[in-house]
Amino acid sequence: MTRQPVPKIFDTLRLPVIGSPLFIISGPELVIAQCKAGIVGSFPALNARPQAMLDEWLHRITEELAAYNRDHPDAPAAPFAVNQIVHKSNDRLEADLATCAKWQVPIVITSLGAREDLNTAVHGWGGITLHDVIDDRFARKAVEKGADGLIAVAAGAGGHAGRLSPFAIVQEIRQWFGGPLALSGSIATGDAVLAAEAMGADFAYIGSPFIATTEANAAPAYKDEIVASRAADIVYSNLFTGVHGNYLRGSIVAAGLDPDALPEGDLKTMNFGGDNGSKAKAWRDIWGSGQGIGAVTAVESVADRVARLAQEYAAARARLAL
């Protein structure tokens, strides 16, 4: 397998980091701050409710980043990404994709299903696609259907997470795939970003630490619990959406449930429809988080968080004489 050069769209990154799309939490404020700080900012299309709001969000993000780039030609912002849930219950997918085409979204992240026609559509306006996968089998299917790159979601990642060690999933994918590869799972420090690269990934995919930022659309209590919790406070369950994911123990207790005796969920209950139904409520009340939050010690701005990652990353490279 020959590694391919990282696409030029990523040339403006300060760090090899993609901020993962956080359901409910990621909005224009967070995305714009991440891009200005030098990492890819992203959000789920479904966060913009009603659907017409997606056009407003993309207008704002595109215009603000363009203005920033005009004022900072020597250090332009990183590109942004929109996450599309491809699961059949998402009745907004076609409308959301059309809106992304209107604004020529540079990066589209696809989850819970791979579709060749979606990849073709994104390529048609000059964008690239990255697909979430939890194992090598799903990775191969995604690439067969035209995904440009992969996001390996390993054990310990926030939200819908896999079971595999990051070492296992990256080494299996890199045996045959040389394209863009991001790694997700408990990455919260600059040291871990460098470790992801050392394993063979091109990017670290970081979500949970950005929940505890001033720009995140998360309840203050949610941010505080991210700061107060550690890896042992994360519960892995499929009860809430039908797909296994990682959640904060405290939010499960607050909902009146026993985190040590949760019943099994049902895949048939998964619903990512365009309305504001029960699943949105479940995600609002039961808080997702990855296992890397032990490194998060305060709520701070995105700029400060990325600056710390950059300092840690540089120190790790120096320590290893890279």
Side-chain angles (χ1 to χ4, degrees):
M1 183 278 302
T2 301
R3 291 280 291 273
Q4 302 168 12
V6 174
K8 288 186 176 297
I9 194 173
F10 296 106
D11 284 353
T12 58
L13 265 63
R14 177 184 182 185
L15 281 172
V17 171
I18 298 172
S20 66
L22 303 166
F23 194 51
I24 297 178
I25 294 162
S26 298
E29 293 82 6
L30 181 59
V31 171
I32 291 167
Q34 289 173 323
C35 293
K36 288 181 178 180
I39 67 171
V40 175
S42 71
F43 71 96
L46 289 174
N47 279 9
R49 296 172 183 263
Q51 197 278 330
M53 188 175 290
L54 179 60
D55 185 74
E56 299 175 19
W57 283 17
L58 290 176
H59 185 186
R60 177 182 171 186
I61 291 168
T62 301
E63 291 299 314
E64 288 199 29
L65 292 181
Y68 181 87
N69 291 344
R70 288 193 295 271
D71 293 339
H72 302 83
D74 297 328
F80 71 94
V82 174
N83 176 219
Q84 298 285 7
I85 302 296
V86 187
H87 189 263
K88 61 184 179 181
S89 69
N90 180 12
D91 55 13
R92 280 182 40 171
L93 179 60
E94 300 305 325
D96 288 344
L97 190 61
T99 305
C100 288
K102 173 184 175 181
W103 291 101
Q104 297 191 340
V105 170
I107 305 167
V108 173
I109 297 169
T110 53
S111 306
L112 299 174
R115 278 177 40 177
E116 185 173 355
D117 60 330
L118 186 152
N119 291 318
T120 300
V122 176
H123 295 157
W125 72 69
I128 68 168
T129 58
L130 305 176
H131 189 70
D132 281 353
V133 298
I134 59 171
D135 61 30
D136 186 67
R137 179 171 65 92
F138 285 117
R140 291 177 184 271
K141 287 184 176 180
V143 173
E144 287 171 3
K145 293 186 177 182
D148 299 291
L150 300 168
I151 301 165
V153 184
H160 292 142
R163 299 176 183 270
L164 298 181
S165 158
F167 294 99
I169 190 169
V170 169
Q171 70 186 14
E172 289 186 2
I173 290 173
R174 277 304 188 211
Q175 287 174 354
W176 60 272
F177 180 67
L181 176 62
L183 176 62
S184 173
S186 307
I187 301 175
T189 66
D191 306 64
V193 173
L194 185 60
E197 288 186 292
M199 278 192 281
D202 297 300
F203 310 100
Y205 198 69
I206 303 179
S208 300
F210 289 107
I211 298 171
T213 58
T214 54
E215 295 89 348
N217 181 35
Y222 189 175
K223 297 180 183 183
D224 292 342
E225 188 149 351
I226 290 285
V227 173
S229 300
R230 302 184 70 79
D233 298 310
I234 304 303
V235 176
Y236 191 63
S237 172
N238 67 352
L239 172 63
F240 306 108
T241 67
V243 176
H244 276 93
N246 283 316
Y247 305 92
L248 286 167
R249 174 177 291 267
S251 69
I252 297 172
V253 172
L257 301 171
D258 180 356
D260 296 316
L262 294 175
E264 286 292 307
D266 185 350
L267 185 60
K268 295 178 181 177
T269 67
M270 190 193 300
N271 181 6
F272 289 95
D275 60 13
N276 289 305
S278 60
K279 291 305 164 190
K281 185 175 186 298
W283 278 95
R284 186 170 60 245
D285 298 337
I286 306 296
W287 296 335
S289 176
Q291 295 177 0
I293 53 174
V296 180
T297 58
V299 177
E300 59 187 349
S301 69
V302 167
D304 287 344
R305 180 135 295 153
V306 174
R308 180 174 293 104
L309 286 171
Q311 291 169 357
E312 294 167 345
Y313 180 81
R317 288 181 62 91
R319 187 169 62 247
L320 298 175
L322 295 176

